[in-house]
């Protein structure tokens, strides 16, 4: 809980006591008079004024200087002009609050007090001008050292505050960056789970339906469908294990390679059934495609074929992958009939494909071919690969 600005801190009480004792001790050391009506009330007054130095540093300094001038000119004390007010000068010079130019005020008040002291000392004191000048010179030197020390302390506090602010800002930036990376990682995991689980359930369900329909009439076809379902299931388990490994050991490569363009042939074979003919055409060298692009192309084809099996009612799907000319282009087209009514809003699958391609600087379109009113569905993605040629 912060202390109110008007309430003195223990440090203020300590400085007040030290100032009162120092004024009395300095007066005695310099051979001045220790009168109950002079040095003692001045020492107490200068000490009590310091209790308000945090909130009113300029006012405290002005009242302290005025008290010294009054006591000196009235003859109640006979030593000291600047040094009894040392703490008040230092408090104002070290004041670092916005809109409070403490150091210029402290310099101005100090020079004014010294000028007044010179005008008073020379004609009224019993000493000569040389002695008065030496005394005031010593006080001027003390004032310069005092203000320099206070300024150095103020600059040190500023530097420490700026350093703490910079460290806080850097820590905040690191937290924001960590949060952004966590969000991106969660999005990647959601896309992977959607693609892997959605495709696996769709293909396994399709193959099980084929096996159930051909179990009596064509046992060989039923066994082939069940074998395909088992292969899809094995591949899905492998992908999920790799994903779990990445979650448990972030920053490490998965134990098994991720899917890519070379695995598209197996993907097409698993999706192909008696009711859906899927054809794959690949031009270029699939092994030369960078791993992130290769994975994105595989997931786009996987999701597009999954949507064809689920929703299109198509009898044929054509997959084309063209590698070269600084890019990888993939198209997946089917001949499914257009559903009645207005087009449905894009689901998580299309959104996930779009995010994957956009993350690599590419573009993806999905919709009816031509003017959008005919049959079929076309997914087209183009991913640039700088420095990659045919």
């Amino acid at each position: 809980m912060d202390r109110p600005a008007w309430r003195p801190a223990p440090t203020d009480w300590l400085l007040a006591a030290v100032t009162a004792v120092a004024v009395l001790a300095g007066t005695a050391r310099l051979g001045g008079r220790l009168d109950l009506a002079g040095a003692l009330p001045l020492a107490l007054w200068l000490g009590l004024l310091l209790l308000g130095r945090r909130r009113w540093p300029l006012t405290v300094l002005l009242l302290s200087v005025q008290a010294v001038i009054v006591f000196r000119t009235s003859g109640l004390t006979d030593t000291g002009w600047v040094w009894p007010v040392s703490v008040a000068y230092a408090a104002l010079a070290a004041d670092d609050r916005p809109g409070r130019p403490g150091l210029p005020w402290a310099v101005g008040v100090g020079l004014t007090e010294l000028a007044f002291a010179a005008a008073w000392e020379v004609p009224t004191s019993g000493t000569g001008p040389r002695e008065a000048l030496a005394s005031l010179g010593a006080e001027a030197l003390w004032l310069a050292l005092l203000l320099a020390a206070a300024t150095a302390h103020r600059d040190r506090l500023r530097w420490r505050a700026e350093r703490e602010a910079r460290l806080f800002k850097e820590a905040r930036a690191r937290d924001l960056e960590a949060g952004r990376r966590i969000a991106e990682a969660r999005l990647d995991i959601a896309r992977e789970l959607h693609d892997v689980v959605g495709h696996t359930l769709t293909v396994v369900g399709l193959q099980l339906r084929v096996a159930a329909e051909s179990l009596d009439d064509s046992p060989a076809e039923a066994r082939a469908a069940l074998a395909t379902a088992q292969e899809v299931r094995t591949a899905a388990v492998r992908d999920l294990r790799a994903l779990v490994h990445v979650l448990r050991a972030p920053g490490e490569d998965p134990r098994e390679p991720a899917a890519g363009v070379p695995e598209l042939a197996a993907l097409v074979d698993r999706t192909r059934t008696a009711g859906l003919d899927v054809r794959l055409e690949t031009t270029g060298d699939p092994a030369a495609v960078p791993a992130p692009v290769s994975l994105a192309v595989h997931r786009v084809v996987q999701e597009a074929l999954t949507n064809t099996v689920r929703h299109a009612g198509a009898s044929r799907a054509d997959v084309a992958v063209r590698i070269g000319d600084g890019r990888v282009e993939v198209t997946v087209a089917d001949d499914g009939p257009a559903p009645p009514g207005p087009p449905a809003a894009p689901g998580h699958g299309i959104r996930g494909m779009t995010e994957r391609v956009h993350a690599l600087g590419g573009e993806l379109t999905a919709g009816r071919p031509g003017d959008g009113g005919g049959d079929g569905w076309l997914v087209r993605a183009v991913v640039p690969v700088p420095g990659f040629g045919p």
Side-chain angles (χ1 to χ4, degrees):
M1 183 175 180
D2 295 336
R3 180 183 300 275
W6 52 266
R7 183 177 299 176
T11 306
D12 299 326
W13 287 100
L14 178 61
L15 287 176
V18 170
T19 297
V21 173
V23 169
L24 296 176
T27 301
R29 180 68 179 82
L30 296 175
R33 299 194 311 272
L34 291 175
D35 298 337
L36 295 179
L40 182 59
L42 177 62
L44 295 177
W45 175 247
L46 294 179
L48 291 176
L49 283 175
L50 292 178
L51 298 179
R53 68 182 182 91
R54 295 180 184 272
R55 188 172 184 182
W56 307 286
L58 178 58
T59 303
V60 168
L61 176 60
L62 292 176
L63 291 177
S64 299
V65 170
Q66 184 181 15
V68 170
I69 292 175
V70 169
F71 273 73
R72 286 298 304 271
T73 56
S74 61
L76 297 177
T77 60
D78 54 0
T79 56
W81 289 94
V82 172
W83 65 263
V85 202
S86 297
V87 177
Y89 273 114
L92 181 60
D95 190 16
D96 197 27
R97 283 173 287 184
R100 289 173 174 248
L103 180 61
W105 275 105
V107 172
V109 173
L111 293 177
T112 302
E113 184 182 15
L114 288 173
F116 178 85
W120 176 267
E121 285 276 359
V122 173
T124 59
S125 65
T127 60
R130 180 175 298 180
E131 290 78 4
L133 183 61
S135 175
L136 293 177
E139 297 229 32
L141 179 61
W142 171 252
L143 178 63
L145 294 176
L146 185 67
L147 296 183
T151 303
H153 177 68
R154 181 200 62 189
D155 292 342
R156 178 178 175 275
L157 293 179
R158 283 182 179 176
W159 172 82
R160 188 168 64 180
E162 292 174 358
R163 179 175 176 271
E164 291 177 354
R166 184 176 67 254
L167 293 177
F168 176 80
K169 185 177 180 180
E170 292 175 355
R172 179 63 176 168
R174 288 194 299 268
D175 292 342
L176 292 176
E177 178 65 17
R180 184 186 65 80
R181 291 182 179 179
I182 291 174
E184 291 180 353
R186 292 178 62 183
L187 183 60
D188 291 340
I189 294 170
R191 283 198 297 258
E192 290 292 327
L193 288 176
H194 177 274
D195 293 344
V196 173
V197 176
H199 174 75
T200 301
L201 294 178
T202 299
V203 175
V204 168
L206 176 64
Q207 298 298 336
L208 290 178
R209 185 178 66 188
V210 171
E213 293 176 351
S214 59
L215 184 60
D216 296 331
D217 299 333
S218 180
E221 183 178 354
R223 284 195 296 270
L226 291 175
T228 302
Q230 180 65 25
E231 292 176 1
V232 174
R233 176 259 178 198
T234 302
V237 170
R238 182 193 63 209
D239 290 342
L240 290 175
R241 283 177 177 174
L243 181 59
V244 170
H245 176 73
V246 172
L247 292 175
R248 289 180 175 176
E252 298 182 9
D253 294 332
R255 297 177 182 177
E256 300 189 30
V261 175
E263 287 75 32
L264 286 179
L267 174 65
V268 168
D269 290 339
R270 293 194 300 266
T271 309
R272 185 183 295 117
T273 65
L276 177 63
D277 182 21
V278 185
R279 300 183 181 182
L280 172 64
E281 177 186 356
T282 303
T283 59
D285 183 10
V289 180
V293 178
S294 184
L295 175 60
V297 169
H298 185 96
R299 294 306 188 200
V300 167
V301 174
Q302 183 183 58
E303 181 60 28
L305 291 179
T306 300
N307 291 338
T308 297
V309 173
R310 282 180 174 177
H311 312 298
S315 60
R316 176 174 174 174
D318 294 315
V319 180
V321 179
R322 299 176 180 85
I323 304 168
D325 296 331
R327 67 180 188 174
V328 177
E329 179 182 355
V330 56
T331 58
V332 181
D334 63 53
D335 61 353
H348 293 290
I350 294 179
R351 187 180 302 114
M353 290 189 293
T354 304
E355 291 172 349
R356 283 184 182 277
V357 174
H358 284 181
L360 297 172
E363 295 292 335
L364 182 139
T365 58
R368 297 291 170 185
D371 57 1
D375 292 340
W377 188 265
L378 174 65
V379 175
R380 179 176 181 270
V382 179
V383 182
V385 184
F388 176 69

